[in-house]
Amino acid sequence: MNTYTTSSSAQHPRRPSLPERRISRRLSALSNVERGQNRAPAGSTEHELTEEIEKIKRYEDFTTIDWVQDAAREQIRRRTRRKENAGFFERDGHLGWRRRLRDSYDAGQAWIVVTLVGATIGLNAAFLNIVTEWLSDVKLGYCTTAFYLNEDFCCWGEDTCDDWHRWTPLWPVNYFLYFVFSIIFALSSASLVKAYAPYAAGSGISEIKCIIAGFVMKGFLGFWTLLIKSICLPLAIASGLSVGKEGPSVHYAVCTGNVISKFFDKYKRNAAKTREILSACAAAGVAVAFGSPIGGVLFSLEEMSSYFPLKTMWRSYFCALVATAVLAAMNPFRTGQLVMFEVRYDRSWHFFETIFFIFIGIFGGLYGAFVMKWNLRAQSFRKKYLSKYAILEATLLAAGTAILCYPNMFLRIDMTEAMEKLFLECEGGHDYDGLCEAKNRWSMVLSLLYATILRTFLVIISYGCKVPAGIFVPSMAIGASFGRMIGILVQALHEAFPHAKFFAACQPDVPCITPGTYAFLGAAAALSGIMHITVSVVVIMFELTGALTYILPTMIVVGVTKAVSERFGKGGIADRMIWFNGFPFLDNKEEHTFGVPVSQVMTSEVTSLPSAGLNLRTLESILSQNRYQGFPIVEDRTSKALIGYIGRTELIYAIDRAKKEGFISPNANCFFTQPDSTAVRTPTTAAPPVTFDAIESSTGQQSVDFSRFIDPTPLTVHPRLPLETVMELFKKLGPRVILVDYRGRLAGLVTVKDCLKFQFKVEAHETTRDDSTLDERHERLWGIISRLADWVADKVMSVSGGRIKLSGLPARARGPAGILHSDTTDPRDHFSPIPASHYAILDGTEDEDHSVELQNR
C-alpha cells in the first residue's frame, strides 16, 4: 500500500527506485512546494496523507470516533477538492459541463443511497414476514394444495378450510411435533449465529445507539451479520421463543445501510455522512416493522440518535417512505396490511373508561420496571455461567417454551397473530376459539391471565439468549393479553350493572365496551414501559389503527406509563443494556448534578511526549508498554507546557513508514515541532516539512520530524470547569479526549470513560446494595442446574447402555457436588460439529479485555 510519512532533514535528494516511482509521481506536488516553486498543492498532499491514515483507522475496533477531528478532516477534503478542480472544470469563468455533472452526482449521492437502502429494507422485510409466517404455521400443520403456503394463504377466502390439516388427528402427536419443530428451529438459529456471525444475536438496538454516537464495533454492521440475521430471525421467531423481530429489524436495516453506503466514496471516508444514513436506516427498520413511517422517524429521533439535525430527519423520512412503499407493493399478507396486527376501530370510547385506561398505564410502567430489573439479573447469570453454552441454552429455552405454551391458545400461536386476534372487535365474525362468547368469559380471563404471567417470565429469561431476539412484540403481546383481560372484565361489569350511573354514557342496544381497544392500549403501555419512549409509541399506534378517536386514550395511557416508569429509574431496556455492557455512551436525555470540578475526575498521571529529546527506540518502547489512544505533546516533561496532541494511529503510521524506508537509525532523535522552533504551527500555515521520500538513504540520518502529525489545537479546559459542562462538551461536540491545562501547563486529561466511571461511582454510593447475596443465589441456581444436567446425562447414559453420552466432561471439569465447570471442553460439541468461531465477543469471552468495558486509561 502506498503511504505517506513524516518529514526529516536530508542532505542529498534520493533517486526513487522502480517500485517507488508511483509514490514519487503522487508526491511531485509536494516536492514543488519544498523547492518553493508552488504552495498550492500542499493541501492536496496533506489531504492524501490524511486519507492514508483514515484507511488504517477505519479498521480499529472498539474505539470511539473523534467527531471534532472528523469535521476538520471533511473541511480539508472540501478545500482540497476545490483547489484540485480549480481551472480544470472551469472555462472562461463558467463552470464546465463535467463540473456540473460531477457536482450534481455528488449532491445526489445521499438520495441515491437512501433510495437503494429503503428499497432493500422493504424487500427484506417482506421476505422475512412471509418466511416467518410459514415457519410458524408449519409447526401446527400443513396445506394439502401447496406445502409452501401458510394457513392464511391456504384458506384464502374460505369460511371453513378443508385444505389445511393438522399433522395428525392425535393431540399428543401434534404436541410432540410442535415440540420437535421448536427445538429444530432454535438449534438451527443458534448454531448459525454461533458459527458465522455472533453479532447477529440479540436485538442490536443498544449497540447501534453507541455506533451512531461514534463507538466503532468492527463487523457489527457487516454483510455476514446482515445475512445471518436475516436467515436466523425467522427461525428464532418460529421456534416459539418469547422474542420478537421488530427490534432486530432495526439491526438488519442499519446493516443494509452500512453495506450499501460503503460502495459510495462519499460515505466510505466520512463517518459523519455514514451516521446520517444509519439514523435513516433505523427509522426505516421501525417503519417496516410496524407499518409506521412517521413513527419510525420519531423513534430514530427519540431513541436512537444522539445527533439528529433537520437534514437527517428529512432523509430518515424519505428512507422510511421508500421502505414502507416497497413493503406495501410486495403486500406480504395479501390483505393490504403492512403488518399482521393492523386493525381499524369504528366505535368511540367513553369518558368513564379513563379510569381503566389509567390502570392499564400503571401496569405498563410496573411491567417495564419489573422486566428490566429481573432481565438484567438473568443477563448477569447468563454472562457468568452460560456464555459457553449458548446453543444448548437457546435449544432448552425453546423446548421449555414449547412445553409450557402449547396448551394455551394465546401462547401456542405466533405473537403477532395473537395480537391480531386480541385487537379485533367481537362484531363482524371476528371470534377466535370462543374469545367473544359470553359463556367462555371467565375461562378466557384465566387463560389471558396465565398467558400474561407466563409470557412475562419467558421474556425475562429469553431476551438476551444468543439468537436474533427483540423485546418489542413480546412486550406488546403481554400488554395486549392483559388489556384484553381488563376489557372483558369491564364488559362483564357493564352487563351486570347496565343501568348504573357509572355507565350512563352508554347508548342502549349498542355495544358499550370494546375489549379489543383495551388490548390495543395495553400493547402501547407495555411497549412504552419497556423502552421508555412516548411520542413515537403514540404515533406508531395511531398509524396501526388509523383512528384519530383513540389518540387521546393512547396519550393518557403512555403518559401514565412514563410517569410510573420514571419512579423506578431512567432509561429503557436499551439504555440499561448499554450500562450493563459498559459501552462508552453518554445519553443526551440524562441530566447530571455532581457539583465537582473536572480535576476530580481527570487522569492526572498522563504519559506525555516531549517535543524533543526522545529517540525512536524509546518512542517504540512507550507504544509497546501501553494501549493509550493518543499522547499529549509537551515542551518538556519538567515545564509540561502543552503544545499539542498526537493520536496513536498517526504515530504508529509515521514510525512504520520510516522503517519501510530503512534508513532511520533506532537512536534517531524525534521532534514533534519544527527543529528550529518550538512554536506551535498549524499544517495550513506552517511551511511543509521535508518528507521521507526526500531523505538520503544514509547511515548518518539521526533525526525525524513528526510535527505534521500532531493536532496543534486540541480541545482543552480549565481544571475548575464543572464536570457537567465537560460532559456536555462530550455530548455536543463528540471529542475522543479533552485535555486539562492550567496556565498553559498540562494538568491531565479526561475521556468519556472517566466521566462514566465517576457517574457509576456516585450512583453506586447513592444506592448502596450488597451484591454478595445475589452472587450466592446465582451460585445456588448454577449448582441446581449443574446437578440436574448431571442427573439427566446419567439417566440417558444408563437407558442407552452407554451409547449416548450427553456430558462427556473430564473429571477435572467437575467441582464439588458434581457441579459442572466449563474449562476448555464445550458440551455443544457433542450435539453438533460446529467449529469454534473466530469472533470472541459473544462466545463466552465477554470478560476479556476488548476495550469495551470501562477500564482505567
Side-chain angles (χ1 to χ4, degrees):
M1 180 180 66
N2 295 334
T3 55
Y4 303 90
T5 182
T6 56
S7 60
S8 61
S9 58
Q11 298 176 359
H12 303 285
R14 179 177 60 88
R15 182 176 180 178
S17 59
L18 181 60
E20 298 171 333
R21 290 177 183 173
R22 180 176 297 179
I23 300 177
S24 300
R25 286 195 296 269
R26 295 173 66 182
L27 292 177
S28 60
L30 180 60
S31 301
N32 292 333
V33 174
E34 293 164 358
R35 299 187 189 101
Q37 297 176 7
N38 185 11
R39 300 186 61 87
S44 176
T45 303
E46 188 73 23
H47 167 65
E48 292 172 352
L49 186 145
T50 304
E51 290 294 323
E52 291 290 343
I53 295 177
E54 280 305 298
K55 289 181 181 179
I56 301 173
K57 276 190 172 183
R58 192 176 299 127
Y59 299 98
E60 290 182 350
D61 204 4
F62 300 121
T63 59
T64 54
I65 297 173
D66 193 322
W67 295 111
V68 177
Q69 292 187 4
D70 185 78
R73 285 192 295 266
E74 179 61 19
Q75 293 297 327
I76 294 175
R77 291 190 188 103
R78 293 179 179 177
R79 185 168 57 249
T80 303
R81 188 164 58 246
R82 285 196 299 266
K83 289 182 179 180
E84 290 176 347
N85 296 334
F88 183 74
F89 289 109
E90 298 178 7
R91 296 291 184 270
D92 299 330
H94 300 283
L95 294 178
W97 66 270
R98 287 178 292 181
R99 173 66 178 272
R100 292 194 184 95
L101 183 62
R102 207 284 302 273
D103 288 347
S104 299
Y105 171 73
D106 188 68
Q109 271 193 50
W111 302 109
I112 296 174
V113 172
V114 166
T115 303
L116 292 175
V117 169
T120 306
I121 292 173
L123 290 173
N124 197 15
F127 165 77
L128 293 181
N129 285 335
I130 294 171
V131 174
T132 301
E133 293 307 316
W134 181 78
L135 290 176
S136 299
D137 288 344
V138 81
K139 295 190 302 181
L140 302 174
Y142 64 97
C143 185
T144 56
T145 56
F147 184 77
Y148 56 86
L149 294 178
N150 60 28
E151 184 176 4
D152 289 338
F153 285 174
C154 184
C155 304
W156 190 262
E158 300 180 9
D159 295 332
T160 58
C161 184
D162 297 328
D163 295 330
W164 181 263
H165 291 177
R166 298 290 180 181
W167 286 107
T168 66
L170 301 176
W171 183 86
V173 177
N174 291 333
Y175 194 171
F176 176 75
L177 290 177
Y178 182 91
F179 173 79
V180 171
F181 275 118
S182 298
I183 290 178
I184 292 174
F185 292 157
L187 179 63
S188 302
S189 180
S191 300
L192 290 173
V193 168
K194 160 73 177 176
Y196 297 104
Y199 278 145
S203 172
I205 289 182
S206 56
E207 290 85 353
I208 292 172
K209 287 185 66 173
C210 297
I211 290 173
I212 292 177
F215 187 53
V216 179
M217 297 180 68
K218 179 184 175 184
F220 191 84
L221 302 179
F223 173 76
W224 275 104
T225 303
L226 170 62
L227 180 63
I228 297 302
K229 192 110 181 179
S230 300
I231 294 174
C232 296
L233 183 56
L235 293 171
I237 302 302
S239 69
L241 288 170
S242 294
V243 295
K245 67 175 184 295
E246 275 62 23
S249 67
V250 177
H251 189 185
Y252 75 68
V254 176
C255 287
T256 303
N258 182 69
V259 171
I260 292 179
S261 64
K262 293 306 178 185
F263 290 100
F264 295 82
D265 292 336
K266 185 176 182 179
Y267 296 96
K268 185 186 297 184
R269 64 174 183 261
N270 192 331
K273 296 292 184 182
T274 304
R275 177 167 61 171
E276 295 178 2
I277 296 297
L278 299 186
S279 299
C281 293
V286 175
V288 297
F290 293 101
S292 173
I294 304 300
V297 175
L298 292 177
F299 178 84
S300 182
L301 170 63
E302 186 176 2
E303 178 66 15
M304 299 299 299
S305 302
S306 56
Y307 178 74
F308 205 83
L310 185 61
K311 179 173 62 175
T312 303
M313 178 180 289
W314 171 229
R315 287 173 181 168
S316 300
Y317 168 79
F318 187 76
C319 187
L321 172 64
V322 173
T324 309
V326 172
L327 179 62
M330 295 291 295
N331 196 11
F333 303 111
R334 293 298 183 267
T335 59
Q337 297 177 335
L338 298 178
V339 291
M340 179 176 289
F341 47 87
E342 187 175 340
V343 67
R344 293 290 182 269
Y345 296 119
D346 54 10
R347 286 203 298 268
S348 182
W349 57 285
H350 305 88
F351 188 76
F352 68 83
E353 294 180 276
T354 305
I355 298 176
F356 306 107
F357 297 161
I358 293 175
F359 182 71
I360 291 176
I362 294 174
F363 165 79
L366 295 177
Y367 162 79
F370 179 80
V371 169
M372 282 189 285
K373 175 182 177 179
W374 289 99
N375 178 256
L376 287 179
R377 294 189 176 185
Q379 297 275 32
S380 177
F381 179 82
R382 176 180 289 115
K383 185 174 183 178
K384 187 174 182 180
Y385 296 103
L386 303 179
S387 56
K388 289 186 177 298
Y389 308 97
I391 298 177
L392 182 61
E393 179 201 1
T395 306
L396 293 180
L397 280 175
T401 302
I403 293 174
L404 295 174
C405 292
Y406 187 82
N408 186 275
M409 56 182 289
F410 299 107
L411 298 177
R412 183 188 312 133
I413 59 178
D414 181 61
M415 285 178 286
T416 55
E417 186 179 355
M419 281 194 292
E420 179 190 20
K421 308 296 184 184
L422 294 172
F423 285 176
L424 291 176
E425 298 177 352
C426 286
E427 289 71 23
H430 302 304
D431 191 7
Y432 172 61
D433 287 354
L435 176 62
C436 296
E437 297 180 6
K439 63 179 181 179
N440 298 329
R441 179 169 294 159
W442 297 110
S443 62
M444 288 298 167
V445 168
L446 294 177
S447 181
L448 288 168
L449 179 62
Y450 173 79
T452 302
I453 296 174
L454 182 59
R455 182 77 76 187
T456 301
F457 169 74
L458 292 176
V459 166
I460 290 174
I461 64 175
S462 299
Y463 181 69
C465 66
K466 299 305 186 283
V467 296
I471 201 170
F472 284 16
V473 163
S475 297
M476 293 177 68
I478 292 170
S481 59
F482 179 82
R484 185 79 185 206
M485 180 185 68
I486 298 299
I488 293 175
L489 293 176
V490 175
Q491 188 180 43
L493 183 65
H494 171 256
E495 292 180 2
F497 305 97
H499 303 294
K501 291 184 178 180
F502 185 77
F503 300 106
C506 296
Q507 298 179 3
D509 301 328
V510 176
C512 180
I513 305 299
T514 306
T517 60
Y518 287 76
F520 164 78
L521 295 174
L527 178 58
S528 177
I530 198 67
M531 294 300 298
H532 280 221
I533 52 180
T534 54
V535 179
S536 53
V537 170
V538 174
V539 175
I540 287 173
M541 303 311 286
F542 162 68
E543 291 186 279
L544 281 176
T545 61
L548 288 169
T549 308
Y550 283 91
I551 281 188
L552 183 57
T554 308
M555 294 177 67
I556 294 173
V557 168
V558 171
V560 173
T561 300
K562 180 69 172 178
V564 174
S565 300
E566 293 294 325
R567 299 293 300 172
F568 296 94
K570 304 289 185 179
I573 187 67
D575 300 305
R576 304 293 177 89
M577 289 305 300
I578 291 174
W579 168 85
F580 178 79
N581 291 318
F583 294 139
F585 178 76
L586 288 174
D587 195 347
N588 285 329
K589 297 187 290 291
E590 293 185 0
E591 296 181 359
H592 307 284
T593 306
F594 298 116
V596 298
V598 69
S599 58
Q600 294 190 19
V601 181
M602 69 181 185
T603 302
S604 301
E605 299 296 329
V606 180
T607 301
S608 58
L609 303 178
S611 60
L614 282 181
N615 58 39
L616 194 60
R617 182 184 289 110
T618 305
L619 193 58
E620 289 179 325
S621 176
I622 294 174
L623 286 171
S624 62
Q625 291 174 3
N626 59 74
R627 301 298 302 170
Y628 303 154
Q629 295 300 317
F631 305 91
I633 307 298
V634 296
E635 187 172 348
D636 57 71
R637 288 176 174 169
T638 303
S639 66
K640 291 188 176 181
L642 184 61
I643 292 178
Y645 184 85
I646 187 169
R648 181 185 186 90
T649 304
E650 287 84 350
L651 188 56
I652 293 176
Y653 166 79
I655 294 175
D656 289 344
R657 173 65 175 177
K659 287 183 177 181
K660 289 179 182 179
E661 294 294 338
F663 52 77
I664 298 298
S665 170
N667 296 319
N669 294 323
C670 301
F671 295 95
F672 293 94
T673 58
Q674 293 292 332
D676 58 344
S677 174
T678 57
V680 178
R681 307 180 189 176
T682 63
T684 56
T685 59
V690 182
T691 64
F692 283 120
D693 295 284
I695 299 175
E696 180 184 7
S697 180
S698 65
T699 57
Q701 181 59 43
Q702 292 295 323
S703 65
V704 59
D705 182 10
F706 295 118
S707 60
R708 75 181 306 168
F709 289 95
I710 74 168
D711 178 11
T713 56
L715 189 59
T716 59
V717 297
H718 194 276
R720 289 198 293 268
L721 189 69
L723 177 60
E724 296 85 355
T725 306
V726 175
M727 295 178 73
E728 287 299 317
L729 289 175
F730 278 117
K731 294 176 183 178
K732 298 299 192 312
L733 299 180
R736 175 182 288 180
V737 62
I738 296 178
L739 302 182
V740 182
D741 71 324
Y742 181 68
R743 295 181 178 177
R745 299 176 183 272
L746 179 66
L749 60 79
V750 61
T751 64
V752 173
K753 292 184 179 181
D754 295 325
C755 298
L756 289 174
K757 282 188 288 186
F758 183 81
Q759 176 184 340
F760 295 159
K761 187 185 302 182
V762 171
E763 292 175 352
H765 179 73
E766 292 176 351
T767 58
T768 56
R769 64 180 185 183
D770 186 11
D771 291 336
S772 59
T773 304
L774 182 61
D775 293 337
E776 292 176 1
R777 293 176 181 174
H778 284 176
E779 289 287 350
R780 288 198 297 268
L781 178 59
W782 177 242
I784 294 172
I785 294 175
S786 302
R787 286 191 292 271
L788 180 61
D790 287 344
W791 181 82
V792 172
D794 293 339
K795 290 298 181 181
V796 172
M797 185 183 298
S798 61
V799 171
S800 63
R803 290 187 296 271
I804 300 178
K805 297 181 180 180
L806 294 182
S807 177
L809 288 175
R812 62 185 176 86
R814 296 177 182 268
I819 296 178
L820 294 177
H821 293 278
S822 57
D823 185 13
T824 55
T825 305
D826 192 340
R828 291 170 295 185
D829 296 336
H830 299 278
F831 291 91
S832 56
I834 298 175
S837 173
H838 59 279
Y839 297 99
I841 186 64
L842 296 179
D843 187 18
T845 57
E846 291 94 333
D847 293 331
E848 296 181 7
D849 179 14
H850 289 288
S851 301
V852 180
E853 305 291 345
L854 295 176
Q855 299 178 9
N856 293 328
R857 186 181 183 277

